[in-house]
Amino acid sequence: DGQLDLGFNVLLGYAFRTRTFVRVDAGYNLRLGSAGDQVLSAVRAGQGIGERVLLYGWVQLAYTVTEGRPLGVSVAAIDPDLPAAEYSGARNLLLRELRLERDQLDVGGGVILRITREVELNLGYARTLWGRNTAAVDSLSVSIGVRTNFRGYR
């Protein structure tokens, strides 16, 4: 939406001795433009396998709780099989007001591979399962994490 947001989140997690972790997130997205504010939530879990592999998965929701500014009106056919010549005015039209609001439910997962003590490779996949005023997205991600020490810092 091209605007500034302030996010407030609480993250609660636990790592078990079995190399399993679980994290629950709850938050609020204060949207400083004219978009509706959002309540945020997520659950993440993962399992370490051996010394070099971590499998993980997650589900997250962003749900609009305040009304965003109107963007305009969208028109849809009530009966899409009716020929346009038979519409006779707005009889077959459904008018929908669009607002600057966005809801979405996403799921994802992936694997983190430890290449060396300092380098990890993260391969992930995410999918939008449900949404309002958002695109249905399938995404693949590849990232590299590098740990380093700076002299004088521990």
Side-chain angles (χ1 to χ4, degrees):
D1 336 54
Q3 67 174 29
L4 181 63
D5 297 345
L6 290 177
F8 304 94
N9 292 287
V10 174
L11 312 176
L12 302 172
Y14 190 78
F16 299 91
R17 288 185 176 181
T18 59
R19 301 179 49 109
T20 302
F21 77 88
V22 177
R23 189 178 96 187
V24 177
D25 307 359
Y28 192 82
N29 201 13
L30 178 64
R31 310 199 74 201
L32 299 178
S34 51
D37 294 351
Q38 297 172 315
V39 169
L40 309 171
S41 64
V43 175
R44 302 176 194 282
Q47 176 64 53
I49 300 172
E51 295 296 317
R52 298 194 175 269
V53 177
L54 175 74
L55 299 175
Y56 64 89
W58 52 267
V59 60
Q60 66 185 23
L61 175 69
Y63 189 79
T64 302
V65 294
T66 63
E67 195 172 80
R69 108 176 130 77
L71 294 172
V73 176
S74 173
V75 179
I78 295 170
D79 179 4
D81 296 325
L82 186 67
E86 297 178 24
Y87 275 35
S88 70
R91 184 174 62 102
N92 191 43
L93 298 179
L94 176 63
L95 303 177
R96 297 182 187 142
E97 183 180 52
L98 296 177
R99 295 187 162 277
L100 194 52
E101 300 169 0
R102 183 182 68 215
D103 304 323
Q104 66 189 72
L105 176 66
D106 298 318
V107 296
V111 60
I112 297 174
L113 304 171
R114 179 176 284 166
I115 308 300
T116 67
R117 274 187 54 142
E118 295 81 19
V119 178
E120 295 176 341
L121 178 66
N122 185 345
L123 306 169
Y125 170 76
R127 179 178 183 93
T128 302
L129 291 183
W130 168 84
R132 183 172 62 100
N133 295 336
T134 190
V137 176
D138 286 292
S139 63
L140 294 172
S141 62
V142 177
S143 60
I144 296 176
V146 178
R147 281 190 276 286
T148 186
N149 290 324
F150 294 104
R151 290 183 191 168
Y153 294 98
R154 292 192 184 250

